[in-house]
Amino acid sequence: MTKVDAVGVDAAGPEGLKALEARLARDLQDLCYPPANWVPPANPGPQAGGVVGPVVDAVIVGGGMCGLVAWFALTRAGIRNIRIIDAAPEGREGPWVTYARMETLRSPKTLTGPASGQPSLTFQAWYRAQFGPGAWEALDKIPRPMWMDYLRWYRRVLGIAVENETRLDLVEPSGTGDSGTGDLLRLHLSGRGAGQVLARRLVMATGRDGTGGPVIPGFVGGLDRRFWAHSADPIDFAALKGKRVAVVGVGASAIDNAAEALEAGAAEVRHLIRRKEMPRINKFMGIGSYGFTCGFAGMDDAWRWRFMNYSFTSQTPPPRGSTLRVSRHANAFFHFGKAVSALDERDGAVRVSFADGTAYDTDFVILGTGFTVDPLSRVEFGAAAAEIRLWSDVYTPPEGEESRDLGLFPYLNPDFTFQEKHPGRAPWLRLVHCFNYGSTVSLGKVSGDIPAVWVGGEWLGREMARSLYLEDIERHWQALHDYATPELQGDEWRPSEIGADRLVNGLVKAEEV
């Protein structure tokens, strides 16, 4: 008898994947998915300022992992009148096949990630269906490009209609809708889907740089762009063959870019590391749990700050495999205690000056300096970006726990929405959900990293359903009164008078007159 794999088929490959997709479809059908849309339709009110089409209940910006999870969560919550856009071409959403350069994911292969509680939607099920249980057992970490293949499949089997090559340029308030609907947002889009859209909610599922951008240290100064790049930039690694390369930092992205340069034939790659020692322990790995994920947002400000500040200052080490990918090259070097103070062009090369007074020359510099959270840098919010309330506006840490970086994170409501810095100046910010890295200090790592993104999705769906329902409370009240579909047809009983019948031998018999 043939052993049946977990996907319910006795063969892996195309037929196995088809069987998995059939099982997923049945699972969703058994869960009555998708539920009916319960949100009353809204139309532009007289203050909306011109007709731009029907009002959309939610627009999701970002078709990467978080955007797909957000779409699935809202759809499962019965919020069906939604759109999802992404600036990238189809299949290139997120970092996985663009600026992410690691060989494998850091996360364990067993994490369910964006599957949102659906076994047939997990990476494990997808992989086993194609390659079999033996291959799954032999797999160590998930190859990065394969994760993107899985996300493309996720999008296809769920029928998520991402509008690619469409960018959000500006969001602004647009009055109120009709029939008591709350405030609306006017979205200005460019690209293939250029135009204006009215929406009740906006979800910024824009990833690592979703409320900020790459960190470009001041020491770069006016150095010509041909001499340097950030790790998130497109880099022509082939052009670095035979060149001297300096990589600032030793985080995961710095390590991955160093490896790419070495494998492309760089003459040497030198990591310039401000710290005295290599970080070796991923502190959050020791306390990761469903309890921490759900409990973090319930902590007071002091505890939330303390946990995140400790994590940031400890620094997450690069993966062991990625580090070995660099160190196996004889022309790779790790220089600790070398804080860069300046970069200057010298005779067609780059003079790197250090805080300790030393210097050396290189041909190209890669900044593995990560991303900053800075809502002021997000042009989509226009002048209102300055009205986003930050942690620095709310919390003053005790001595020894100061952190400028943490202070730049937005101070969010429990439903991922922004707060105003000055009440009354930009009240529409409460309609924008920050479902990206910017939510980390307020709500934890539930809208960016693989381990808990499914928790964040369910959270977002629940909270948006709550707010939309309460916003339409009068319409739902009226619907309660207006509902008039009978469950009984009137022929299920026969009326009688008391005393008009009697029991004879346990049976009802009409009284004789």
Side-chain angles (χ1 to χ4, degrees):
M1 181 175 180
T2 303
K3 183 178 179 180
V4 178
D5 189 16
V7 298
V9 297
D10 57 8
E15 291 304 313
L17 189 60
K18 287 175 61 177
L20 173 64
E21 293 173 3
R23 192 183 84 178
L24 173 62
R26 178 56 189 267
D27 289 345
L28 294 175
Q29 181 182 8
D30 289 347
L31 291 170
C32 300
Y33 172 89
N37 182 69
W38 54 265
V39 185
N43 294 302
Q47 304 175 56
V51 177
V52 293
V55 175
V56 180
D57 291 327
V59 172
I60 300 168
V61 179
M65 180 180 71
C66 283
L68 299 180
V69 168
W71 184 94
F72 190 34
L74 297 185
T75 303
R76 292 176 69 194
I79 303 171
R80 302 278 303 280
N81 179 22
I82 57 181
R83 292 176 62 178
I84 177 170
I85 66 172
D86 195 285
E90 183 174 349
R92 297 185 63 81
E93 304 86 358
W96 311 108
V97 292
T98 53
Y99 65 82
R101 297 178 176 117
M102 62 282 204
E103 289 182 313
T104 65
L105 304 191
R106 173 196 299 271
S107 302
K109 66 179 182 180
T110 51
L111 294 179
T112 59
S116 301
Q118 307 305 309
S120 304
L121 198 55
T122 61
F123 175 86
Q124 178 177 173
W126 175 82
Y127 187 92
R128 290 167 64 105
Q130 296 173 93
F131 307 109
W136 171 255
E137 295 302 322
L139 181 68
D140 178 26
K141 295 289 183 66
I142 299 172
R144 170 184 50 80
M146 184 174 284
W147 182 254
M148 189 68 221
D149 292 339
Y150 162 69
L151 291 178
R152 294 186 185 111
W153 174 80
Y154 182 104
R155 166 178 169 171
R156 177 176 64 80
V157 294
L158 290 179
I160 305 176
V162 179
E163 300 172 44
N164 286 96
E165 300 178 57
T166 301
R167 182 182 299 276
L168 172 65
D169 295 327
L170 179 67
V171 54
E172 58 185 352
S174 189
T176 58
D178 66 351
S179 305
T181 301
D183 295 338
L184 302 177
L185 300 172
R186 181 185 296 270
L187 311 183
H188 298 259
L189 308 181
S190 62
R192 292 179 61 184
Q196 297 182 26
V197 178
L198 289 181
R200 298 181 66 180
R201 297 291 187 275
L202 176 64
V203 180
M204 297 294 289
T206 39
R208 192 73 174 178
D209 62 341
T211 42
V215 172
I216 309 299
F219 60 66
V220 173
L223 183 66
D224 192 285
R225 228 9 186 115
R226 73 180 188 275
F227 290 112
W228 68 274
H230 189 273
S231 61
D233 291 333
I235 299 176
D236 182 3
F237 286 97
L240 300 180
K241 184 176 182 179
K243 302 288 187 180
R244 299 167 297 176
V245 178
V247 178
V248 180
V250 76
S253 63
I255 288 285
D256 295 332
N257 278 265
E260 289 282 325
L262 288 162
E263 291 163 4
E268 66 174 34
V269 173
R270 298 182 183 272
H271 276 283
L272 310 179
I273 308 161
R274 181 177 54 189
R275 292 171 176 266
K276 299 293 185 182
E277 297 179 346
M278 176 76 89
R280 297 175 61 186
I281 301 172
N282 184 353
K283 289 290 188 176
F284 270 166
M285 287 289 288
I287 64 168
S289 68
Y290 185 70
F292 177 77
T293 299
C294 296
F296 181 85
M299 299 178 188
D300 62 23
D301 290 352
W303 274 115
R304 286 188 287 177
W305 182 279
R306 185 174 301 166
F307 270 96
M308 283 301 165
N309 186 52
Y310 185 73
S311 172
F312 276 47
T313 55
S314 299
Q315 190 178 355
T316 301
R320 173 176 166 79
S322 298
T323 308
L324 291 173
R325 181 184 172 200
V326 172
S327 62
R328 68 178 177 228
H329 294 269
N331 55 338
F333 305 92
F334 295 80
H335 302 293
F336 296 92
K338 305 300 284 187
V340 178
S341 59
L343 300 178
D344 300 288
E345 181 181 352
R346 296 286 181 91
D347 301 323
V350 179
R351 171 64 55 85
V352 182
S353 300
F354 299 104
D356 61 9
T358 61
Y360 99 107
D361 293 339
T362 190
D363 297 311
F364 193 76
V365 177
I366 299 175
L367 302 175
T369 46
F371 295 88
T372 183
V373 171
D374 181 10
L376 288 176
S377 69
R378 303 306 302 191
V379 299
E380 300 96 331
F381 299 113
E387 291 301 322
I388 294 176
R389 197 179 194 191
L390 308 179
W391 269 82
S392 59
D393 300 320
V394 176
Y395 182 67
T396 302
E399 185 177 352
E401 294 185 11
E402 299 89 352
S403 171
R404 179 182 179 276
D405 291 339
L406 290 188
L408 291 173
F409 277 75
Y411 190 88
L412 302 179
N413 291 311
D415 62 352
F416 295 92
T417 56
F418 293 114
Q419 295 186 17
E420 294 176 89
K421 191 186 299 274
H422 303 99
R425 291 190 182 179
W428 58 269
L429 288 171
R430 64 179 173 79
L431 306 178
V432 182
H433 298 259
C434 179
F435 196 64
N436 55 51
Y437 179 63
S439 70
T440 300
V441 181
S442 295
L443 302 175
K445 297 184 177 183
V446 294
S447 55
D449 293 344
I450 292 171
V453 68
W454 67 275
V455 178
E458 291 188 352
W459 191 341
L460 175 70
R462 180 182 67 246
E463 289 298 317
M464 189 181 293
R466 177 191 59 78
S467 65
L468 286 174
Y469 193 91
L470 294 179
E471 193 172 279
D472 289 333
I473 190 64
E474 292 187 3
R475 300 175 76 179
H476 291 297
W477 173 249
Q478 187 61 47
L480 174 64
H481 282 263
D482 293 343
Y483 184 74
T485 301
E487 293 190 25
L488 297 176
Q489 303 301 315
D491 58 355
E492 297 88 354
W493 70 92
R494 184 176 61 192
S496 62
E497 298 292 334
I498 294 178
D501 54 59
R502 59 186 176 85
L503 292 177
V504 177
N505 296 325
L507 300 175
V508 177
K509 185 177 181 180
E511 287 281 358
E512 296 179 0
V513 178

